[in-house]
Amino acid sequence: MRKFNIRKVLDGLTAVSSSSSASSSSQQQQSGNRESDIPETLQSEHFQLCKTVRHGFPYQPSALAFDPVQKILAIGTQTGALRLFGRPGVECYCQHDSEAAVIQLQFLINEGALVSALADDTLHLWNLRQKRPAILHSLKFNRERQRSTQKQTEKEAGIRLDKWITFCHLPFQSKWLYVGTERGNIHIVNVESFTLSGYVIMWNKAIELSSKSHPGPVVHISDNPMDEGKLLIGYESGTVVLWDLKSKKADYRYTHDEAIHSVAWHHEGKQFICSHSDGTLTIWNIKSPAKPLQTITPHGKQLKDGKKPEPCKPILKVEYKTARAGEPFIILSGGLSYDTVGRRPCLTVMHGKSTAVLEMDYSIVDFLTLCETPYPNDFQEPYAVVVLLEKDLVVIDLAQNGYPIFENPYPLNIHESPVTCCEYFADCPADLIPALYSVGARQKRQGYSKKEWPISGGNWGSVTQSYPEIIITGHADGSIKFWDASAITLQVLYKLKTAKVFEKSRSKDDRPNTDIVDEDPYAIQIISWCLESRMLCIAGVSAHVIIYRFSKQEVTTEVIPMLEVRLLYEINDIDSPDGEQAPPLPTPGTGSNPQSIAPQSHPSTSSSSSDGLRDNVPCLKIKSSPLKQSAGYQIELVIQLVWVSGEPPQQITSLAVNSAYGLVVFGNCNGTAMVDYLQKTVLLNLGTIELYGSNDPYRREPRSPRKSRQPSGAGLCDINEGTTVPEDRCKSPTSGSGSPNNSDDDDQKMNNFIEKVKTKGRKFSKMVANDIAKMSRKLSLPTELKPDLDVRDNSFSRSRSSSVTSIDKESREAISALHFCETFTRKADTSPSPCLWVGTTLGTVLVIVLNLPPGGEQRLSQPVIVSPSGTILRLKGAILRMAFLDTTGSLVPPAREPWREHNVSEDKDEKDKSKKRRPVSVSPSSSSQEISENQYAVICSEKQAKVISLPSQNCIHKQNITETSFVLRGDIVALSNSSCLACFCANGHIMTFSLPSLRPLLDVYYLPLTNMRIARTFCFTNNGQASYLVSPTEIQRITYSQETCENLQEMLGELFTPVETPEAPNRGFFKGLFGGGAQSLDREELFGESASGKASRSLAQHIPGPGGIEGVKGSASGVIGELARARIALDERGQKLGELDERTAAMLSSADSFSKHAHEMMMKYKDKKWYQF
């Protein structure tokens, strides 16, 4: 985890361009320097960027290891990452700098250290005794230099040269690591100093004349459980050698026709088992090398005439574990018959005469059997199996019948369906997480093992952050998951399936031809959530919007409420407009009598227009049967955009919901639509150009609507009986009530734009189409399905027929940002009023006024009046985010209402009617005072940010964020009782700016945009937190708060905890007397420099790592760090003293026993003569 040291940025605007400074100063003079009245408390020293934690399943796993004493699990990946897991809530992420694949992991059991072997010929020793594990030592191997004759032999044998290290083995309580190589040789590494021993086992000496060809790479190394001086070496070709370390020669050689994949010992050291490429297992007696004691084909069909069973798929790994009270366990992966086509990967557990085949959802990468003892020469007593799959981690309980799995407490199922969008909310209401947990607890599956999770090592860190945090992930299958992200942990709270509202086609052939995507038609694109009211609104890839209301009671919905909206707008060719002109638009004063429009039937029956094209049909079909909805989020309304005269609906690019107003609004590249979800009516359905009225800076003219097209506001399917939609509510822009706020350079740019429009016409431009897609919030279907997606890929490219790619960007202006608020809509306003601010991809901000009826019954019966205000603001680049500040510089939240149970009895409902849906004014205002600067609008686009004072609409501050790149995500967030603007740019920079002055506070190069997944999921939130999807299966959380960075060390959990090593198995009296127990070996005497000499310097290079005591000092600071280091040192000293005391006691006991036996022997034979012996 890397910390970024941020240089303090001067409070002045030295980093800002001179033109920007001049523009800002001139505007500040016009506004009367009111911005100086707002004190800004945030300074550059309040910001520091660092990674906090990573959640989710390790992407592309490749290796697995377990410490049976510390009870810690380690997983390595193909990208060089390490993930360490202890008890639930204790996780750690590390990364090798080389990013080479991890081949194998080996714990130094109960030592707080881990050895990793990488595909780039390196070994690394990790120190786990600190909260942020670091590398203590590294060893870089050079390719062995072999003689030309040996090279020729290996070339003939067809040896792979893709990697050098193939297998590692570290005996329990040993400091000597055996390293097997591709060449077939074995080297020995001292893990304390990470230096090579001069002792080498050469392949040619190991096999001698037993084989004429090279035996292949080393695939297995292990010492005999009962004799540490005997080393079992398995070669890929099928040869196994029992090597005597002292005599430096082979005792026995075992040969088999089939290639070997793995080898395992019986704990008594008299037998071992091998798995082969033909699906067989061979059990060998160590003193009978001629042929195997037994050959087993677990999944082979036994033929009656005594012939060999048919060959099966390779058995990739086998483990042989014994128990005191029962038959041994043989556990293996692979080995299925070749005729089992389509069968899922399996783990086979053979116990006595029973064989259990456990099917897995994904391919098996590796597995480990968890045993009660770390000593290989004792009964293993297996109790669980950890199975690492390609996309999951499964732990099987071996102690219960049926082998149930443990319920996984880690957040490893983020990718259960590919993540398509992500939102992060910090400082949530205190009752929100318990409410989600209570409804989510009912969704838990049954049938798990009743035992506790066996991976239970480590300790939790101290909780210094007390505020609740929630992460929401939207997925390709239409599901939404709510996660408790408080205190740098992650736990799933509740899962919502949005697809259950739609009819599902049983096969691809049954799929309706109205689909606009090839697959995943329910994928979530945008999530809008009101935390206080718990109203949830989502937009899907099939141009559908669903509004949900939270309830703790189960309901059955007889008819799903739905609306269908026709949102298609065309414009004339700009160079040669048609003779037909658009009808004049009414002003707010005209059209007092609303025109009634008959609603469509439900569901829509019109499927084609007069010319045979698909028309007035949605992309998805809603279920017609009653829908049972359990407690949690329940459907309030489904809105679908429909096909219009053969043109498919365009995907939704922006979305907003407001619980106090009872409104939801969404937009795409055609225009915007507003829906009253209380009355189930469409209030606004306008093309983007219609929002401008007569103030369109590009002078675009609307084409006359097709005959099949309904007037604006129609084309909907109303649930309420006979509700009418007044047309004047949908088209009522004012003229002259507000003027665009443009500087001289903006006017020049607008003129250039108009000239460009006139010269370009309607020619197809791929570059422009890509720009439009880039500006349309970078939303697309899951990139996991398209791994090679380029940064400039069109976000609408999955649509079968997209009109975006056939017109110029000046012609098609998409809605990119929407924000409900209560503020000043026009310059002449004296008090704030409810309104909607609309941002477009061409950098325009438009304001729409909302006239809401009173609350209670009148809100449900009287219409909401919607009219454009005429206010237009301009920025460079697509608008990304808008927010408002009050006179103290604090964020003004949108009006909202508190949550209440909607499905209540009639009596309670009557009591609450007076409180229902009353918009809350959150802005300071005084109608009696003169016009004054009461609020500040903060607007962020892809290129710049502006602070506009309201109601005067003067730009008091402007900051050009980037010239050569563009902003992917911008958020206005609260931090340390103040607020700031946080931006993430496509060039990898993360920047923060003060508010309202937009002073640069932080600018760090952090993460370049490598794929659209990062752009789609990156989000900032309050209190200096941010997150993004770092891989298809993992969420990375970061902080840009200095305070959080300082407290992070205390918040992180500890992996290593001092634990006593279990006692060694008792050898017994007779074994101790006659030497029948395990034989120890003084490896130092064999492998030390005095005995074996020094290894060749050209063979490997030692690289010291940063993880020594310097690493500890760097990661911990102050008194807490010193105390932690002192405690670790005391623990280590106490542990060593305890071990010394145990060894002394054992030696005294052994001496007493020997003295006693010697005395008995003397007394027995002292009176006998020599001839009586």
Side-chain angles (χ1 to χ4, degrees):
M1 226 176 272
R2 188 178 300 172
K3 278 192 177 182
F4 299 88
N5 293 322
I6 314 301
R7 293 185 179 179
K8 292 185 179 181
V9 182
L10 294 176
D11 291 349
L13 297 178
T14 55
V16 187
S17 63
S18 57
S19 61
S20 173
S21 301
S23 172
S24 298
S25 61
S26 64
Q27 289 161 346
Q28 289 171 18
Q29 291 174 1
Q30 293 175 4
S31 63
N33 291 326
R34 289 194 55 87
E35 63 274 13
S36 60
D37 297 342
I38 300 180
E40 294 183 4
T41 57
L42 288 178
Q43 303 297 330
S44 57
E45 55 263 24
H46 292 131
F47 293 88
Q48 182 177 352
L49 191 68
C50 70
K51 295 178 181 178
T52 52
V53 286
R54 181 174 293 198
H55 303 294
F57 183 78
Y59 185 53
Q60 295 178 332
S62 58
L64 181 67
F66 182 71
D67 187 327
V69 179
Q70 288 288 320
K71 296 191 181 300
I72 298 171
L73 187 77
I75 298 176
T77 73
Q78 294 180 23
T79 56
L82 275 182
R83 293 287 298 279
L84 296 145
F85 298 91
R87 66 178 60 193
V90 178
E91 297 180 32
C92 185
Y93 162 77
C94 312
Q95 177 68 50
H96 294 91
D97 292 337
S98 66
E99 298 186 357
V102 178
I103 298 171
Q104 196 175 350
L105 297 171
Q106 283 275 318
F107 273 103
L108 277 68
I109 295 175
N110 205 25
E111 295 290 336
L114 175 73
V115 174
S116 58
L118 271 58
D120 63 351
D121 309 333
T122 56
L123 290 174
H124 303 275
L125 178 64
W126 290 85
N127 178 16
L128 307 183
R129 291 179 177 243
Q130 53 196 65
K131 289 190 173 183
R132 294 172 181 264
I135 294 175
L136 286 168
H137 301 282
S138 297
L139 201 60
K140 170 69 174 175
F141 285 89
N142 302 315
R143 299 276 175 171
E144 289 175 295
R145 298 179 180 179
Q146 306 290 345
R147 298 177 183 175
S148 58
T149 55
Q150 185 173 333
K151 285 186 178 180
Q152 185 64 29
T153 306
E154 292 172 0
K155 188 176 180 181
E156 293 171 359
I159 290 181
R160 302 185 306 273
L161 296 176
D162 54 345
K163 59 185 179 182
W164 192 81
I165 300 171
T166 57
F167 195 88
C168 297
H169 171 63
L170 181 65
F172 179 44
Q173 294 182 327
S174 169
K175 68 175 183 179
W176 298 97
L177 174 73
Y178 301 103
V179 180
T181 69
E182 188 74 26
R183 305 289 186 187
N185 302 328
I186 295 176
H187 299 271
I188 300 167
V189 177
N190 185 329
V191 292
E192 289 183 352
S193 60
F194 239 54
T195 55
L196 271 178
S197 166
Y199 193 112
V200 180
I201 303 174
M202 305 299 289
W203 68 269
N204 50 0
K205 193 168 183 184
I207 67 167
E208 286 187 345
L209 301 177
S210 62
S211 174
K212 295 181 179 179
S213 60
H214 191 280
V218 175
V219 296
H220 178 82
I221 308 170
S222 62
D223 48 356
N224 189 315
M226 288 296 179
D227 188 354
E228 296 175 349
K230 309 292 184 182
L231 198 66
L232 195 69
I233 307 166
Y235 293 96
E236 189 182 63
S237 63
T239 301
V240 178
V241 175
L242 187 64
W243 181 264
D244 189 319
L245 291 169
K246 290 182 179 178
S247 62
K248 299 184 181 180
K249 65 178 182 180
D251 283 352
Y252 299 101
R253 297 180 181 89
Y254 315 85
T255 57
H256 194 70
D257 296 337
E258 298 296 332
I260 289 176
H261 285 275
S262 70
V263 184
W265 277 103
H266 186 281
H267 85 276
E268 291 180 348
K270 297 177 181 178
Q271 293 179 354
F272 62 88
I273 188 169
C274 302
S275 69
H276 299 277
S277 58
D278 62 346
T280 60
L281 297 172
T282 54
I283 300 176
W284 299 79
N285 190 313
I286 60 168
K287 295 186 177 179
S288 303
K291 65 175 184 178
L293 186 68
Q294 188 180 0
T295 301
I296 307 170
T297 309
H299 297 284
K301 294 179 180 178
Q302 300 294 333
L303 303 178
K304 294 181 180 179
D305 53 0
K307 293 182 179 178
K308 279 187 176 182
E310 294 180 0
C312 297
K313 296 176 183 177
I315 296 177
L316 301 176
K317 185 175 182 179
V318 64
E319 291 204 345
Y320 198 5
K321 302 298 179 183
T322 54
R324 292 182 193 277
E327 298 287 337
F329 285 86
I330 298 177
I331 304 169
L332 56 105
S333 63
L336 294 180
S337 175
Y338 280 104
D339 59 6
T340 54
V341 180
R343 190 168 180 178
R344 293 189 293 181
C346 295
L347 185 82
T348 304
V349 180
M350 301 171 67
H351 186 217
K353 295 182 179 179
S354 68
T355 300
V357 181
L358 310 176
E359 289 192 342
M360 302 292 162
D361 292 332
Y362 306 100
S363 300
I364 297 175
V365 176
D366 197 1
F367 73 89
L368 287 172
T369 308
L370 308 189
C371 302
E372 296 288 353
T373 177
Y375 293 94
N377 58 348
D378 194 9
F379 286 98
Q380 302 301 292
E381 303 294 347
Y383 60 89
V385 181
V386 179
V387 188
L388 177 62
L389 306 178
E390 199 175 35
K391 293 183 180 179
D392 201 1
L393 182 72
V394 176
V395 182
I396 300 165
D397 187 353
L398 291 179
Q400 292 189 34
N401 292 332
Y403 303 130
I405 65 171
F406 289 87
E407 184 177 9
N408 198 321
Y410 305 133
L412 300 183
N413 60 342
I414 291 172
H415 64 287
E416 188 176 19
S417 174
V419 178
T420 53
C421 66
C422 186
E423 293 295 336
Y424 191 2
F425 303 90
D427 208 5
C428 303
D431 60 343
L432 190 53
I433 289 178
L436 289 169
Y437 181 81
S438 64
V439 295
R442 308 175 195 179
Q443 300 177 331
K444 288 191 175 181
R445 290 170 49 191
Q446 303 298 322
Y448 291 111
S449 170
K450 296 178 181 179
K451 293 187 176 181
E452 291 187 2
W453 182 250
I455 305 165
S456 56
N459 284 324
W460 295 301
S462 60
V463 179
T464 57
Q465 288 181 192
S466 57
Y467 53 85
E469 300 172 78
I470 293 176
I471 291 177
I472 303 181
T473 53
H475 300 264
D477 64 353
S479 62
I480 296 174
K481 290 182 181 178
F482 295 78
W483 304 84
D484 179 5
S486 307
I488 68 170
T489 62
L490 196 70
Q491 182 182 5
V492 69
L493 292 170
Y494 172 69
K495 181 179 178 180
L496 172 65
K497 297 179 179 178
T498 66
K500 67 180 182 180
V501 71
F502 301 108
E503 297 281 1
K504 290 187 179 179
S505 53
R506 297 180 180 177
S507 64
K508 291 185 178 180
D509 300 332
D510 298 338
R511 203 160 55 187
N513 56 4
T514 54
D515 282 4
I516 59 173
V517 290
D518 296 329
E519 50 190 16
D520 297 326
Y522 313 112
I524 307 297
Q525 278 191 307
I526 313 174
I527 297 171
S528 180
W529 194 30
C530 177
L531 298 173
E532 284 75 17
S533 67
R534 304 180 191 173
M535 291 298 296
L536 175 70
C537 191
I538 64 99
V541 75
S542 295
H544 63 277
V545 173
I546 309 178
I547 305 160
Y548 289 92
R549 189 187 295 274
F550 186 84
S551 174
K552 293 183 178 180
Q553 299 180 10
E554 188 177 287
V555 296
T556 299
T557 306
E558 297 296 329
V559 179
I560 298 171
M562 62 166 286
L563 288 175
E564 291 178 359
V565 179
R566 296 168 65 94
L567 189 58
L568 179 73
Y569 193 74
E570 297 181 0
I571 66 163
N572 280 325
D573 293 341
I574 297 178
D575 286 340
S576 54
D578 293 342
E580 260 187 320
Q581 297 295 326
L585 299 173
T587 61
T590 63
S592 57
N593 296 324
Q595 178 183 354
S596 298
I597 300 170
Q600 290 182 352
S601 60
H602 172 51
S604 172
T605 56
S606 173
S607 61
S608 61
S609 59
S610 57
D611 52 2
L613 298 173
R614 283 193 290 273
D615 185 62
N616 218 35
V617 289
C619 301
L620 302 172
K621 184 180 179 183
I622 294 179
K623 284 183 178 177
S624 55
S625 57
L627 180 65
K628 184 179 180 181
Q629 301 190 75
S630 56
Y633 275 103
Q634 299 168 354
I635 295 169
E636 176 80 6
L637 180 64
V638 180
I639 307 166
Q640 291 195 88
L641 298 183
V642 296
W643 288 67
V644 180
S645 302
E647 284 291 319
Q650 295 298 323
Q651 293 176 351
I652 293 165
T653 57
S654 56
L655 177 71
V657 65
N658 187 282
S659 58
Y661 306 156
L663 303 178
V664 63
V665 62
F666 56 92
N668 61 9
C669 60
N670 286 329
T672 186
M674 186 185 296
V675 172
D676 182 343
Y677 64 77
L678 297 178
Q679 298 186 23
K680 311 292 190 293
T681 57
V682 175
L683 303 176
L684 183 75
N685 183 4
L686 292 179
T688 314
I689 303 167
E690 293 175 297
L691 292 172
Y692 286 93
S694 58
N695 297 325
D696 183 10
Y698 303 112
R699 303 174 189 174
R700 297 163 292 192
E701 297 179 3
R703 178 181 293 176
S704 294
R706 297 179 181 178
K707 291 181 181 179
S708 62
R709 187 185 177 198
Q710 298 179 3
S712 297
L716 55 97
C717 185
D718 196 353
I719 298 307
N720 288 355
E721 2 180 314
T723 306
T724 60
V725 183
E727 191 177 21
D728 64 327
R729 294 206 314 257
C730 301
K731 295 184 181 178
S732 304
T734 59
S735 57
S737 60
S739 59
N741 181 29
N742 297 331
S743 57
D744 293 338
D745 56 340
D746 288 337
D747 291 332
Q748 183 63 35
K749 287 173 185 173
M750 191 176 71
N751 293 333
N752 293 341
F753 249 128
I754 294 169
E755 289 302 319
K756 187 178 178 183
V757 171
K758 289 181 179 180
T759 54
K760 281 182 89 174
R762 291 176 58 84
K763 293 181 181 179
F764 172 79
S765 170
K766 185 176 179 182
M767 241 175 107
V768 173
N770 285 339
D771 286 343
I772 293 175
K774 181 190 73 175
M775 288 188 286
S776 299
R777 287 199 54 180
K778 320 295 182 299
L779 293 165
S780 67
L781 272 182
T783 52
E784 292 75 31
L785 307 174
K786 296 161 58 177
D788 297 325
L789 187 65
D790 188 74
V791 176
R792 298 190 184 92
D793 273 1
N794 193 337
S795 64
F796 300 106
S797 61
R798 298 187 65 97
S799 176
R800 288 179 184 165
S801 170
S802 177
S803 56
V804 180
T805 58
S806 61
I807 55 177
D808 293 331
K809 75 173 182 180
E810 289 85 4
S811 307
R812 182 62 60 93
E813 184 176 9
I815 307 297
S816 58
L818 296 164
H819 187 81
F820 285 106
C821 57
E822 193 163 334
T823 187
F824 303 92
T825 57
R826 302 180 181 90
K827 289 184 177 181
D829 285 354
T830 57
S831 62
S833 59
C835 59
L836 171 72
W837 285 51
V838 181
T840 73
T841 53
L842 293 186
T844 303
V845 177
L846 306 156
V847 182
I848 297 174
V849 181
L850 309 175
N851 190 354
L852 299 165
E857 275 301 331
Q858 297 181 44
R859 175 63 184 86
L860 299 177
S861 58
Q862 296 182 15
V864 178
I865 307 300
V866 181
S867 59
S869 68
T871 298
I872 298 177
L873 306 171
R874 299 276 302 150
L875 278 80
K876 288 194 298 184
I879 304 298
L880 298 179
R881 198 73 58 195
M882 295 172 282
F884 295 86
L885 306 177
D886 60 17
T887 51
T888 65
S890 301
L891 280 172
V892 178
R896 70 256 190 216
E897 66 168 15
W899 176 82
R900 67 177 188 86
E901 179 57 64
H902 190 65
N903 300 321
V904 292
S905 62
E906 205 59 38
D907 296 337
K908 279 189 176 180
D909 200 42
E910 289 293 329
K911 293 178 183 178
D912 293 337
K913 274 183 179 178
S914 59
K915 301 178 182 178
K916 187 178 181 183
R917 304 284 173 192
R918 189 176 300 278
V920 181
S921 176
V922 293
S923 302
S925 63
S926 175
S927 57
S928 61
Q929 295 178 357
E930 296 180 357
I931 298 176
S932 60
E933 311 290 341
N934 281 323
Q935 283 187 1
Y936 301 94
V938 182
I939 307 171
C940 177
S941 76
E942 287 186 329
K943 292 290 186 180
Q944 64 179 195
K946 284 186 179 181
V947 175
I948 312 290
S949 112
L950 299 176
S952 68
Q953 298 180 13
N954 290 326
C955 177
I956 60 170
H957 294 290
K958 183 171 88 172
Q959 176 68 257
N960 291 322
I961 299 172
T962 177
E963 295 291 344
T964 58
S965 183
F966 58 92
V967 179
L968 287 168
R969 177 79 182 215
D971 286 295
I972 295 96
V973 295
L975 176 66
S976 301
N977 298 321
S978 187
S979 57
C980 66
L981 169 64
C983 299
F984 171 54
C985 293
N987 59 9
H989 283 254
I990 289 179
M991 294 179 282
T992 61
F993 301 91
S994 67
L995 290 177
S997 67
L998 294 176
R999 284 183 297 109
L1001 297 173
L1002 175 75
D1003 186 354
V1004 174
Y1005 177 75
Y1006 171 70
L1007 176 76
L1009 179 64
T1010 53
N1011 52 50
M1012 289 302 296
R1013 180 185 61 249
I1014 298 172
R1016 192 179 60 248
T1017 58
F1018 199 103
C1019 47
F1020 296 97
T1021 188
N1022 296 332
N1023 298 330
Q1025 307 295 327
S1027 70
Y1028 61 95
L1029 206 67
V1030 68
S1031 74
T1033 62
E1034 296 168 293
I1035 290 177
Q1036 177 69 56
R1037 291 166 66 179
I1038 62 175
T1039 182
Y1040 48 95
S1041 163
Q1042 172 69 28
E1043 183 182 0
T1044 306
C1045 287
E1046 290 177 352
N1047 295 330
L1048 184 60
Q1049 188 70 20
E1050 296 177 38
M1051 295 165 63
L1052 293 174
E1054 289 184 90
L1055 286 167
F1056 178 80
T1057 53
V1059 178
E1060 282 192 21
T1061 303
E1063 289 186 8
N1066 190 2
R1067 297 170 64 186
F1069 172 75
F1070 290 104
K1071 287 185 179 179
L1073 181 61
F1074 299 107
Q1079 300 296 315
S1080 61
L1081 174 72
D1082 187 354
R1083 295 188 179 90
E1084 183 70 35
E1085 186 180 334
L1086 280 176
F1087 306 143
E1089 187 176 322
S1090 59
S1092 60
K1094 290 185 178 180
S1096 171
R1097 290 186 179 180
S1098 62
L1099 187 58
Q1101 177 188 358
H1102 176 257
I1103 305 169
I1109 191 63
E1110 294 81 6
V1112 177
K1113 287 180 180 176
S1115 60
S1117 59
V1119 177
I1120 294 172
E1122 295 295 337
L1123 287 174
R1125 287 198 296 276
R1127 183 173 62 82
I1128 290 172
L1130 284 172
D1131 289 340
E1132 291 176 355
R1133 188 167 182 267
Q1135 189 176 351
K1136 289 178 180 178
L1137 286 172
E1139 291 175 359
L1140 181 62
D1141 187 42
E1142 289 174 4
R1143 289 176 187 172
T1144 305
M1147 288 175 66
L1148 283 172
S1149 175
S1150 177
D1152 288 342
S1153 176
F1154 180 76
S1155 174
K1156 183 180 177 182
H1157 293 322
H1159 183 71
E1160 287 175 357
M1161 293 282 289
M1162 181 194 73
M1163 295 301 294
K1164 184 177 180 180
Y1165 296 111
K1166 73 173 184 176
D1167 296 328
K1168 292 186 179 183
K1169 304 295 182 182
W1170 64 270
Y1171 50 82
Q1172 291 177 324
F1173 284 101

